[in-house]
Amino acid sequence: MSVDIDITGLPLERIGFSPSPLAELGAMLHALSEPGHHPGLHGWATATAASLKPDLADRLTEADFLWRSARSDILLPSVPGATLAEELDALDRIDDETFVSAAFEITCSAEYGSEVPSPLVDAAQRARVRELSAARGPRQADFTDRMLEDPRALRAWLRRLLEDCEQAFFGDTWERVRGQLAADARHKADLLRHKGLAEALAAVSPAVTLSEDGSRVVVDKLASSRTSAYGGALTFVPTAFGWPHLFVLHRPGWSPVIQYPIASPELPEVMALQVVQCRLEALAHPVRMRLCRTLARGPHTTGELATAYNLTPPEVSRHIATLKKAGLLTTRRRGRYVLHQLDLTVVARIGSDFLQSVLR
């Protein structure tokens, strides 16, 4: 599974790397509303939440479904600006139908990436967004009704909310991280210019690659979708608050945007979805689970395992091969014996690798 971006015919100069104040504010708001996704930001989230004035905290709760479960498309500008005000001005220039449709793209819907009418003009879409927001509570349902009934007033309300966030916490935090984000963007742009797109994508994330024929940017995610950047642009936006998420905006008619977490020594290695799936499937078999119980205690030969579990050596060999293919065993030779042992470090990471994969 992946999100594929067709870049056939797209000049390299139309592929850009740039920080975005609005995208970073969206990442911060998500971290505040879902601190469990971001254990490394626990101290910042706790201190920031405690410092919010009650009125601002209440208003953030009203609108938090725009950034809590997923990220609304309005928070990932395809043309990043130098300031939050500049990006909010660009949002103000979007017509109401487009704005409302983008604002409510907050779920992992199978319709995402397809042309669907705006809730302002389509009764089915209006019912859908009302149902989704009602499931998140009465305050979110009220927010949705206000957006659908008077989008201009609600858009002004939302802009004031984001501006108040800038005054309350975002401005100071942005000043602290924007130099780091700009340096990361420059580094990726230099790699693109001097070493090519494949090298630049490898530096973005191991989960972002170039297809063998060079026609597609492939983002390894638990989603299957295709879009095109032909005739437009492809923008990469670094974030200091995004890990483990790797967001891909690919609305029809909009230039795609990928928001990626900047590298940090304390972040774990990104694991491919196929590897995580292979390891989970390898451990799902009851016989292999029992073999792991023994192999976790020390090295054993195939013959020893066959005797211990009343299995034939070929049966054990097949199970051992599956566990080795998944990268769960270490193997060493001692004389004429081959000893297998469970790699406890790898197994201990399975839970965090799985969580990182589903949150990516």
Side-chain angles (χ1 to χ4, degrees), residues 107-315:
T107 67
C108 299
S109 169
E111 295 180 334
Y112 188 69
S114 304
E115 290 279 4
V116 294
S118 170
L120 289 183
V121 298
D122 184 81
Q125 286 299 313
R126 190 159 55 249
R128 172 181 172 266
V129 298
R130 279 188 162 132
E131 181 181 0
L132 290 171
S133 58
R136 289 166 171 80
R139 300 187 73 175
Q140 288 82 355
D142 178 66
F143 177 92
T144 298
D145 287 338
R146 288 158 55 203
M147 175 73 89
L148 295 175
E149 292 164 6
D150 190 352
R152 299 304 297 176
L154 202 282
R155 289 175 66 171
W157 181 92
L158 184 59
R159 173 163 183 152
R160 286 195 301 271
L161 174 63
L162 299 177
E163 289 171 338
D164 288 346
C165 288
E166 183 173 31
Q167 292 293 322
F169 64 89
F170 174 72
D172 290 341
T173 310
W174 176 247
E175 286 298 317
R176 178 168 57 83
V177 302
R178 69 174 180 171
Q180 185 181 12
L181 298 180
D184 184 271
R186 286 193 300 270
H187 172 63
K188 303 296 192 296
D190 287 342
L191 284 175
L192 175 64
R193 188 162 49 249
H194 299 298
K195 296 190 176 182
L197 182 56
E199 289 282 344
L201 296 180
V204 165
S205 169
V208 183
T209 57
L210 187 64
S211 64
E212 289 186 4
D213 62 3
S215 67
R216 293 173 291 114
V217 172
V218 181
V219 185
D220 189 32
K221 286 177 67 72
L222 277 170
S224 295
S225 187
R226 298 180 67 90
T227 190
S228 173
Y230 176 71
L234 173 58
T235 303
F236 291 86
V237 176
T239 172
F241 283 77
W243 189 90
H245 307 304
L246 186 64
F247 282 106
V248 184
L249 179 151
H250 53 101
R251 288 187 63 77
W254 289 28
S255 296
V257 179
I258 298 176
Q259 186 186 38
Y260 64 94
I262 58 176
S264 177
E266 64 269 15
L267 294 182
E269 176 188 358
V270 173
M271 193 60 61
L273 294 175
Q274 286 184 330
V275 174
V276 176
Q277 183 178 359
C278 181
R279 289 174 178 174
L280 292 173
E281 290 175 348
L283 292 174
H285 196 287
V287 172
R288 290 195 285 272
M289 286 283 287
R290 290 197 294 271
L291 292 176
C292 286
R293 183 174 184 270
T294 298
L295 294 171
R297 288 164 166 78
H300 290 76
T301 66
T302 299
E304 288 175 322
L305 294 170
T307 301
Y309 290 99
N310 196 28
L311 298 169
T312 66
E315 285 180 300

Side-chain angles (χ1 to χ4, degrees), residues 4-19:
D4 290 9
I5 303 172
D6 187 350
I7 58 170
T8 303
L10 185 69
L12 286 184
E13 57 266 23
R14 299 290 292 167
I15 300 175
F17 296 85
S18 178

Side-chain angles (χ1 to χ4, degrees), residues 13-24 73-94 174 231-238 249 253-259:
E13 57 266 23
R14 299 290 292 167
I15 300 175
F17 296 85
S18 178
S20 162
L22 180 57
E24 195 68 353
D73 284 349
I74 62 172
L75 298 174
L76 286 172
S78 56
V79 183
T83 66
L84 180 63
E86 183 180 325
E87 293 183 323
L88 294 178
D89 287 343
L91 275 183
D92 287 343
R93 291 190 289 270
I94 299 175
W174 176 247
L234 173 58
T235 303
F236 291 86
V237 176
L249 179 151
W254 289 28
S255 296
V257 179
I258 298 176
Q259 186 186 38

